[in-house]
Amino acid sequence: RKEVEQDPGPFNVPEGATVAFNCTYSNSASQSFFWYRQDCRKEPKLLMSVYSSGNEDGRFTAQLNRASQYISLLIRDSKLSDSATYLCVVNILIYNQGGKLIFGQGTELSVKP
Amino acid sequence: DAGVIQSPRHEVTEMGQEVTLRCKPISGHDYLFWYRQTMMRGLELLIYFNNNVPIDDSGMPEDRFSAKMPNASFSTLKIQPSEPRDSAVYFCASRPLSGNTIYFGEGSWLTVV
């Protein structure tokens, strides 16, 4: 079983739609959580961190359920520029050695006019 | 500010040849990561270093792969001998001691024919 699992998609949605991505993780030592965005043929870049209480950044809302080991990302009023691959990321803490970031395989989003 | 710098950006090589990928992390960052990305397997962590010391190399596929970090500003990932299945994008990333955000280089696109 992969440590971080995502629905690969693709999700094809019209502009203005609301779209939700889900992610599950298996390692209970996971300490912190993120969503990264990767554009075609580019490197991944941090989109937002995910906090236990849930957090929002403009049109983006992230949620974390530690009991279920589940993370979500909601995009409201989607734009053409949101088309990308969204990567769910967990930081697994290694005692006294920082942590290592483990990436899900990514969910591809395509927003159409 | 200079980000993570990788070289070469693109390499095409014949099976059996040695490949050396290079990375210069962001100055002052304590952690350096090597990832490999393919369509089939997504983004996989190969190895990471803390203050030039390898911490976790459990993701290194096999003995053909080796990584070094002789100083805080330079790391190499070497494949010898290379095989067609090594074709992938290899990303280097770095992170400061505090904080969980990692910063990726633009990647080295490797094709082994």
Side-chain angles (χ1 to χ4, degrees):
Chain A
R1 183 184 172 192
K2 291 184 178 179
E3 290 194 85
V4 181
E5 297 211 50
Q6 294 181 249
D7 181 344
F11 283 52
N12 297 305
V13 303
E15 269 188 293
T18 296
V19 60
F21 304 139
N22 302 318
C23 168
T24 57
Y25 61 95
S26 59
N27 192 324
S28 58
S30 301
Q31 292 290 317
S32 46
F33 309 88
F34 310 90
W35 285 99
Y36 274 66
R37 169 188 169 136
Q38 185 173 24
D39 292 294
C40 187
R41 302 184 70 80
K42 297 287 189 180
E43 72 274 23
K45 293 184 179 178
L46 178 67
L47 176 67
M48 60 193 301
S49 300
V50 186
Y51 303 116
S52 297
S53 55
N55 50 295
E56 191 173 300
D57 183 0
R59 298 180 292 108
F60 298 83
T61 301
Q63 297 278 354
L64 167 65
N65 184 322
R66 284 186 186 269
S68 303
Q69 297 187 180
Y70 170 90
I71 307 161
S72 66
L73 176 68
L74 186 77
I75 305 176
R76 291 182 301 279
D77 187 24
S78 52
K79 312 291 185 191
L80 297 177
S81 57
D82 294 334
S83 297
T85 296
Y86 291 83
L87 300 159
C88 177
V89 187
V90 304
N91 184 41
I92 298 174
L93 194 64
I94 309 296
Y95 175 72
N96 211 30
Q97 295 294 349
K100 58 181 185 180
L101 291 183
I102 304 299
F103 285 73
Q105 193 145 352
T107 299
E108 184 183 346
L109 172 66
S110 179
V111 182
K112 306 292 187 185
Chain B
D1 290 340
V4 176
I5 299 172
Q6 292 187 244
S7 65
R9 290 294 316 281
H10 300 272
E11 178 154 346
V12 180
T13 191
E14 290 186 346
M15 184 172 66
Q17 296 297 306
E18 178 178 293
V19 173
T20 300
L21 307 178
R22 298 173 179 80
C23 176
K24 181 181 184 337
I26 294 173
S27 178
H29 280 194
D30 297 277
Y31 292 91
L32 183 140
F33 303 82
W34 282 101
Y35 286 88
R36 175 174 71 175
Q37 188 172 36
T38 60
M39 287 291 292
M40 289 296 295
R41 300 174 69 90
L43 202 60
E44 302 173 279
L45 177 63
L46 300 177
I47 185 171
Y48 80 101
F49 296 83
N50 178 11
N51 289 326
N52 315 338
V53 176
I55 301 303
D56 185 343
D57 65 355
S58 59
M60 295 286 263
E62 49 198 273
D63 291 345
R64 297 185 297 107
F65 286 69
S66 62
K68 295 182 179 179
M69 192 165 185
N71 57 62
S73 59
F74 183 66
S75 177
T76 59
L77 178 68
K78 189 171 292 188
I79 309 172
Q80 167 62 23
S82 57
E83 297 181 4
R85 62 194 168 117
D86 301 329
S87 298
V89 185
Y90 291 81
F91 286 105
C92 177
S94 68
R95 173 167 76 81
L97 179 63
S98 60
N100 291 311
T101 305
I102 67 172
Y103 300 86
F104 284 83
E106 293 181 309
S108 291
W109 297 69
L110 174 66
T111 302
V112 183
V113 297

